[in-house]
Amino acid sequence: MHKLGISIYPENSTPEKDAAYIEAAAQHGFTRVFSCLLSANAPKERVMSEFTALDDLAHENGMEVCLDVAPSTFEKLGIDYSDLSFFSEVHADAIRLDEAFDAAAVAEMTRNPQGLSIELNASTCDGTLDAVMRHDPNTDRLMACHNYYPQRFSGLGLERFMESSREVKRYGLELAAFISAPDRTAFGPWPVRNGLCTLECHRGMPMSLQARHLFALGLIDDVMVANCFPSEKDLEGLGSVDPSRIMFHVELEDDPTEVERAIMLDYPHMVRGDFSDYAARSTQCRIAYADADIAPHNTHDIHPGSVIVVNERSTRYKGELQLALSPMPNDGSKNVVAHLAPQECILLDLLDSWKHFGFFV
């Protein structure tokens, strides 16, 4: 079950703004809230009051709450590893261990009587997860979540991200990662406003594309917005993301016909098993539209990211949809009905045999 989440930083906001954000996110299907105790510098009583109110509001809107902590948090708030009642008293559902904790202590935390889930840092590749697993944790209460990175050019590269994510999924644990609202006014817990993404290549990308890329990589269960506050349009766009298939945002070309739009936007596409280096082919639609009139038009040469509907010059293949992966000449049998924006091409490498995919405008 894939989930979407938001992040809240009470020390940098107001209860009214946070409440409005939680309610708006819940309306768009978000079910997780992440918040940070690392940056909470108020006295313990005030911290408890603020976070209890925050957690209660999240629960009222059907959302679960995870609080980011480190050994210094336990020290500052006078919490013992063997007694996590503080977190249940503020009505949290989980805690994320941002820094290294003793592996045996972490395994024991997963058996806490309060029923809190324990979330490990998935980005560090420091052997913590393997060490914890050797101490027989309760895996029903063990999860993992990647870091986010406020500083430009400090986020994870794709290869390291995939390596550390596979380590987590090897144990069958739920895994989350962060995306970032691209607005330069969006903030996090620290006074840096260059975005808060897990993958460096996502910095500055549209939020929907970041989420679609993470889901398409096939290792991430939950996607969290790390900074505040994304626009209502961005929240709506995220809420409509379909994690079960690779979805491409397209720009239309030369006024596609009603039939071409239906083939591209309404038909459920799947890549043929005999995957080509030149195009991802969806062929069942040519059966559904065998009797449709598809006259040749916009038959210019083809580039990576071109969306093609085969026209009536190629009778047997008329109605087939193709998504170009390489440059190709056009013999006049292929109508170019749309193309991907350059940033969307990051998703092309994730297409493969039998992958489901689709398009939206």
Side-chain angles (χ1 to χ4, degrees):
M1 177 67 178
H2 295 287
K3 291 178 279 188
L4 294 171
I6 59 172
S7 302
I8 298 285
Y9 308 101
E11 69 279 7
N12 294 332
S13 184
T14 66
E16 294 75 19
K17 288 180 179 179
D18 292 341
Y21 185 30
I22 287 172
E23 290 165 0
Q27 288 174 4
H28 293 294
F30 287 64
T31 57
R32 287 192 60 174
V33 173
F34 170 86
S35 197
C36 184
L37 279 175
L38 303 179
S39 53
N41 293 314
K44 183 175 181 177
E45 293 73 19
R46 182 177 166 189
V47 170
M48 291 190 72
S49 175
E50 286 183 348
F51 280 88
T52 301
L54 169 69
D55 298 350
D56 286 348
L57 180 60
H59 292 155
E60 288 169 14
N61 283 274
M63 305 170 85
E64 58 193 38
V65 182
C66 182
L67 303 179
D68 206 27
V69 300
S72 59
T73 310
F74 282 68
E75 198 174 303
K76 181 170 58 179
L77 296 174
I79 304 167
D80 189 89
Y81 296 165
S82 63
D83 181 5
L84 305 183
S85 56
F86 171 87
F87 303 108
S88 66
E89 287 169 10
V90 298
H91 303 165
D93 301 287
I95 57 172
R96 178 181 181 272
L97 310 181
D98 182 62
E99 298 175 14
F101 284 71
D102 177 76
V106 173
E108 191 60 30
M109 285 184 199
T110 66
R111 301 182 182 281
N112 68 85
Q114 293 81 19
L116 294 159
S117 292
I118 307 300
E119 195 168 61
L120 297 178
N121 185 333
S123 297
T124 52
C125 289
D126 60 359
T128 296
L129 175 57
D130 288 337
V132 170
M133 295 304 293
R134 285 195 292 270
H135 286 85
D136 189 31
N138 178 2
T139 54
D140 289 340
R141 293 186 190 163
L142 188 62
M143 309 183 296
C145 178
H146 279 283
N147 273 342
Y148 53 57
Y149 296 91
Q151 187 177 191
R152 193 177 296 278
F153 303 117
S154 65
L156 295 183
L158 185 57
E159 185 175 346
R160 173 51 65 89
F161 173 83
M162 296 296 285
E163 176 189 352
S164 55
S165 296
R166 289 188 185 106
E167 287 184 9
V168 173
K169 300 311 290 183
R170 180 160 54 94
Y171 292 111
L173 303 182
E174 182 179 327
L175 178 60
F178 289 98
I179 62 173
S180 177
D183 192 331
R184 288 297 299 272
T185 65
F187 62 89
W190 317 118
V192 181
R193 299 199 177 189
N194 289 321
L196 284 176
C197 43
T198 293
L199 277 169
E200 186 60 39
C201 65
H202 285 171
R203 204 177 300 272
M205 277 187 182
M207 275 174 50
S208 167
L209 178 53
Q210 296 174 59
R212 287 182 281 122
H213 185 229
L214 285 178
F215 285 135
L217 289 169
L219 295 168
I220 298 301
D221 300 292
D222 302 344
V223 169
M224 313 286 293
V225 182
N227 50 2
C228 304
F229 295 100
S231 68
E232 183 77 17
K233 182 179 179 181
D234 279 337
L235 285 178
E236 182 179 2
L238 279 181
S240 65
V241 167
D242 180 357
S244 70
R245 54 183 178 152
I246 302 176
M247 293 296 297
F248 296 91
H249 180 248
V250 295
E251 298 174 357
L252 302 180
E253 289 198 19
D254 192 37
D255 195 19
T257 66
E258 185 176 333
V259 167
E260 289 167 338
R261 289 179 66 102
I263 291 172
M264 177 173 57
L265 300 175
D266 300 335
Y267 198 85
H269 297 294
M270 181 176 67
V271 182
R272 280 173 59 112
D274 49 351
F275 185 58
S276 166
D277 288 344
Y278 291 90
R281 298 174 60 199
S282 172
T283 55
Q284 291 301 304
C285 43
R286 72 192 193 204
I287 299 172
Y289 291 90
D291 298 328
D293 179 20
I294 306 177
H297 72 104
N298 208 39
T299 56
H300 60 66
D301 283 347
I302 294 159
H303 307 283
S306 293
V307 183
I308 300 154
V309 173
V310 178
N311 65 43
E312 61 194 26
R313 287 186 182 173
S314 187
T315 308
R316 174 176 170 78
Y317 302 101
K318 184 186 71 171
E320 177 176 310
L321 181 133
Q322 300 177 4
L323 177 55
L325 307 175
S326 300
M328 292 180 282
N330 194 337
D331 64 3
S333 68
K334 298 178 179 180
N335 295 348
V336 181
V337 297
H339 63 269
L340 307 185
Q343 285 183 314
E344 293 280 325
C345 290
I346 193 174
L347 300 174
L348 289 178
D349 289 340
L350 304 180
L351 288 169
D352 204 348
S353 299
W354 310 119
K355 283 282 188 180
H356 292 260
F357 68 103
F359 305 96
F360 65 100
V361 178

